[in-house]
Structure formats: structure tokens, C-alpha cells
């Protein structure tokens, strides 16, 4: 009992001296105890606000605090490392199950996630994305309701299920996999939407050039704007594909009195139609099309099924998307 009382007094004295402004070294010298003991007492006091022996929560951790910190540090520097690689690299002399490592990472907020595929962004792309987001952050909700968002995408018959897991915190976009636009597929479609719902979707036969793009717009753009009740003063959003920015195409817009939204290159995070593309492809492949005819049919059916509320939500939350781009300094976001 005397030893326990003496230990308690030493701990209390360490804390009092630390509160008084003494450093670890001076406390160690004054009480004639190791500096590591002083450090352990102070760290325990900082974490639990007491130096008393606490009830043990269960079996002690098999890994030391130093090893746990090293694991977290290694995952932060190499986010694509697997649990087995991590165990072989850092724990060669210790028998530890991979779930033990997983639990340690989970406690630090790190979870295995599929790496998002994002276009490779150069500094000039990030700068342009940031400029767009900053200049439009103050736009009114009514302005975005007047925008008709358009794009083309390729949809594969059997889909692309390749996945790569990375360690990252929830709702972040670090450690993405760079992709190239239109990386393959079976059919190519053009479509548009606004906050009022989805517009027309058409399959593009063959290679789409400037002339075919203008024909697609001629046959579908104004009709979509009419169906969505956007009026004559709607704003068209399109990316900077050469056929979109061709001189003859821009003259067509001018003759039709259609305002085109200035758009930065390599900026899918800014375009909410990308979210609909992802949902469309997921829904289509759940239908398991067996040929191109079925693929085209399912694409149109699932596109028409997109709810108005979903479209409206994407536009309603657009300022949050701009804020995320600004926070990422023009880089990739969770969108």
C-alpha cells in the first residue's frame, strides 16, 4: 500500500510541476525518475485527465503505439498499398492478422475504398477550373435553372469493372486514377438535362464530327429546351471538344441566338451530367443487355426514368460543387 501511495504522489507531483511550466528534463531531475516515465505520465494525463490506473478495456494491443503510428504513416505515404504488403513490409518479425492492421487503420479514419477515376489535370486545367468556380460562385439559383447541360458518353456493352482500392478518409478525393476521356465502349450517345428533368438522348452512328454534332443539335436541342420549358433564353453548357468549338458550330449558335456557357477544359467535376452518366451506366448494366440493340433500348429507357427531383437536386447543390472545387484549388473533388 505504501508503494502504491508513493507512486500516486509521484504522479501527482509530475502533473503539478508540468502545470507550473517545468519541462520533462527538469521534472526528471527534480524527482530523480527517468525522463521516459515523466513523459508517459504527462501523456496519460493529457489523454484521460487523470494519472490513476484505469480499468483495462480488454486484451492489450499486440502492436505497440510506435508500430501503429508507423503503419498509419506508411499508408499515408503509399495509399495503394495492400494489407498483405503492409504486413510483409513492416511486421516481418511479428505474427499479426491482417484484420488487426485493418482495425488500427479504421480507428484512424482510414478505410479501403475504390479509387475514383479522374482525368489527369495539368496546372493550367486547375487554374481554369478555379477561375470558373470563383467567378460563378455568386450566381443565383435561377441562373443555373436556365442552363441546359449537354455531353456525349460511350457506354460499354458489358461494362468496365476494373477497380483499385486505396486508403483514404471519407468524403475525400485523394489518390485518384487518371483516365482519358472516351476510353472505349460499344455505343456513343448524346443527351442533355436541366433542373426540370432529362432532355433528349440520341445514339451517334459512326464518328461524330462538327457536321454531325450540328445535326444532332438541330434535331434535339431546341425540342429538349421546349419540353423542359426553359424558354428561348436558356444557356447551353458543352465542353471544349474541337467539334463543339468549331467556327461553323459557333456560327450556328449565333444564328440560332443560343448563349453558350464559357467552360474550362478537363472539368468533369464541374458538370453535373457526369453524375447522371454514372447512374445511367449502373442502371443499364443491371439490365444485362446482351447486344447493342438492347443496350441502346435500355439506355433510353433508363434515361427517361431519371427523376425530376434527382435532376433538380444536382442543380440545387451546384454552389456546393463550386465551393468544393475552390477548396481543392481547381483539383479533383468528391464530385
Amino acid at each position: 500500500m505504501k508503494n502504491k501511495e508513493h507512486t500516486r504522489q509521484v504522479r501527482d507531483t509530475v502533473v503539478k510541476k508540468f502545470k507550473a511550466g517545468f519541462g520533462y528534463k527538469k521534472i526528471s531531475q527534480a524527482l530523480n525518475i527517468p525522463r521516459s516515465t515523466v513523459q508517459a505520465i504527462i501523456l496519460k494525463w493529457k489523454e484521460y485527465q487523470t494519472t490513476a490506473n484505469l480499468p483495462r478495456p480488454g486484451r492489450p494491443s499486440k502492436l505497440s503505439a510506435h508500430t501503429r503510428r508507423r503503419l498509419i504513416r506508411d499508408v499515408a505515404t503509399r495509399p495503394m498499398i495492400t494489407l498483405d504488403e503492409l504486413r510483409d513490409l513492416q511486421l516481418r518479425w511479428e505474427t499479426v492478422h491482417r484484420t488487426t492492421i485493418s482495425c488500427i487503420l479504421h480507428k484512424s479514419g482510414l478505410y479501403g475504398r475504390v479509387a475514383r477515376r479522374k482525368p489527369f489535370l495539368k496546372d493550367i486545367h486547375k487554374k481554369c477550373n478555379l477561375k470558373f468556380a470563383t467567378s460563378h460562385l455568386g450566381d443565383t439559383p435561377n441562373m443555373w435553372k436556365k442552363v441546359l447541360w449537354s455531353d456525349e458518353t460511350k457506354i460499354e456493352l458489358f461494362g468496365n469493372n476494373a477497380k483499385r482500392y486505396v486508403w483514404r478518409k471519407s468524403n475525400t478525393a485523394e489518390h485518384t486514377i487518371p483516365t482519358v476521356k472516351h476510353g472505349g465502349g460499344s455505343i456513343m450517345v448524346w443527351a442533355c438535362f436541366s433542373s426540370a428533368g432529362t432532355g433528349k438522348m440520341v445514339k451517334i452512328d459512326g464518328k461524330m464530327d462538327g457536321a454531325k454534332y450540328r445535326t444532332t443539335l438541330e434535331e434535339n436541342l431546341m425540342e429538349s429546351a421546349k419540353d423542359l420549358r426553359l424558354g428561348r433564353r436558356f444557356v447551353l453548357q458543352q465542353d471544349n471538344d474541337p467539334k463543339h468549338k468549331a467556327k461553323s458550330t459557333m456560327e450556328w449558335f449565333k444564328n440560332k441566338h443560343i448563349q453558350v456557357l464559357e467552360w474550362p477544359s478537363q472539368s468533369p467535376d464541374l458538370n453535373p451530367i457526369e453524375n447522371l452518366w454514372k447512374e445511367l451506366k449502373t442502371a443499364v448494366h443491371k439490365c444485362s443487355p446482351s447486344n447493342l440493340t438492347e443496350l441502346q433500348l435500355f439506355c433510353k429507357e433508363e434515361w427517361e426514368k431519371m427523376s425530376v427531383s434527382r435532376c433538380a437536386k444536382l442543380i440545387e447543390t451546384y454552389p456546393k460543387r463550386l465551393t468544393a472545387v475552390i477548396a481543392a484549388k481547381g483539383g479533383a473533388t468528391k464530385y
Side-chain angles (χ1 to χ4, degrees):
M1 292 296 293
K2 289 183 178 181
N3 288 337
K4 289 184 179 180
E5 183 64 23
H6 175 70
T7 301
R8 186 184 63 79
Q9 291 176 356
V10 170
R11 291 172 178 171
D12 292 342
T13 304
V14 169
V15 173
K16 288 179 181 179
K17 287 184 175 294
F18 179 76
K19 289 181 177 180
F22 288 87
Y24 290 177
K25 185 176 181 180
K26 288 187 177 180
I27 297 174
S28 173
Q29 292 173 347
L31 300 179
N32 194 25
I33 58 176
R35 184 175 176 179
S36 59
T37 302
V38 174
Q39 182 180 9
I41 293 172
I42 297 303
L43 290 177
K44 184 176 183 179
W45 175 77
K46 284 183 176 179
E47 184 174 358
Y48 301 106
Q49 299 302 311
T50 181
T51 59
N53 291 329
L54 300 174
R56 285 173 54 176
R59 182 177 179 178
S61 175
K62 197 167 187 178
L63 301 179
S64 65
H66 172 74
T67 303
R68 293 196 295 270
R69 290 195 300 270
R70 187 176 63 188
L71 288 173
I72 296 169
R73 185 168 60 247
D74 289 342
V75 167
T77 55
R78 296 178 56 192
M80 292 190 180
I81 192 172
T82 65
L83 287 175
D84 290 332
E85 290 173 342
L86 194 61
R87 180 174 58 181
D88 294 340
L89 179 66
Q90 297 294 356
L91 306 172
R92 286 170 291 182
W93 314 117
E94 301 180 58
T95 305
V96 179
H97 197 273
R98 61 201 309 271
T99 55
T100 301
I101 303 175
S102 180
C103 288
I104 291 172
L105 297 177
H106 289 173
K107 288 180 180 179
S108 299
L110 294 167
Y111 296 87
R113 296 288 186 264
V114 178
R116 292 184 175 98
R117 294 183 176 271
K118 296 284 186 177
F120 177 73
L121 297 178
K122 298 180 180 178
D123 289 340
I124 185 64
H125 297 143
K126 295 179 181 179
K127 185 177 180 180
C128 292
N129 291 345
L130 181 60
K131 181 179 179 181
F132 177 90
T134 304
S135 60
H136 287 282
L137 186 59
D139 290 347
T140 64
N142 287 334
M143 181 274 180
W144 296 116
K145 289 180 181 179
K146 283 290 185 180
V147 177
L148 185 60
W149 307 85
S150 68
D151 195 18
E152 305 95 32
T153 191
K154 285 189 176 181
I155 302 179
E156 300 173 348
L157 181 59
F158 299 110
N160 183 4
N161 295 318
K163 297 179 180 179
R164 184 69 189 271
Y165 284 89
V166 297
W167 291 103
R168 61 175 172 81
K169 292 184 180 293
S170 300
N171 295 322
T172 60
E174 297 101 341
H175 324 308
T176 59
I177 299 176
T179 62
V180 179
K181 193 174 183 181
H182 303 322
S186 296
I187 66 171
M188 186 175 186
V189 296
W190 174 92
C192 61
F193 92 102
S194 76
S195 64
T198 55
K200 299 293 183 182
M201 169 179 280
V202 291
K203 176 178 174 291
I204 308 300
D205 296 318
K207 182 180 179 181
M208 177 179 269
D209 53 17
K212 185 171 292 187
Y213 180 62
R214 291 189 294 277
T215 301
T216 301
L217 296 179
E218 186 78 49
E219 296 175 353
N220 300 280
L221 184 63
M222 299 306 295
E223 188 175 350
S224 294
K226 182 179 178 182
D227 292 342
L228 296 173
R229 299 181 179 180
L230 294 180
R232 297 287 300 177
R233 294 186 179 182
F234 70 91
V235 179
L236 175 66
Q237 181 279 331
Q238 61 173 7
D239 60 29
N240 290 334
D241 190 287
K243 58 182 172 286
H244 298 172
K245 304 294 289 185
K247 184 177 180 180
S248 53
T249 302
M250 299 309 293
E251 289 179 353
W252 184 88
F253 287 132
K254 184 177 181 180
N255 294 334
K256 295 290 184 178
H257 305 288
I258 297 175
Q259 181 181 351
V260 179
L261 183 65
E262 286 295 327
W263 195 253
S265 300
Q266 291 288 79
S267 54
D269 283 3
L270 288 169
N271 195 347
I273 200 172
E274 297 292 342
N275 299 77
L276 294 186
W277 285 146
K278 182 179 179 180
E279 295 172 16
L280 173 69
K281 293 174 183 179
T282 299
V284 167
H285 290 123
K286 283 183 179 179
C287 298
S288 301
S290 58
N291 53 58
L292 296 183
T293 302
E294 288 187 355
L295 179 63
Q296 180 181 352
L297 176 63
F298 292 151
C299 284
K300 288 191 174 182
E301 288 180 352
E302 295 300 327
W303 183 253
E304 292 173 357
K305 288 180 183 178
M306 294 285 179
S307 66
V308 175
S309 60
R310 174 57 176 153
C311 297
K313 187 68 175 180
L314 286 172
I315 305 307
E316 179 185 336
T317 59
Y318 197 72
K320 293 183 179 180
R321 189 183 296 257
L322 296 177
T323 302
V325 172
I326 294 173
K329 297 181 180 180
T333 70
K334 67 178 183 178
Y335 292 96

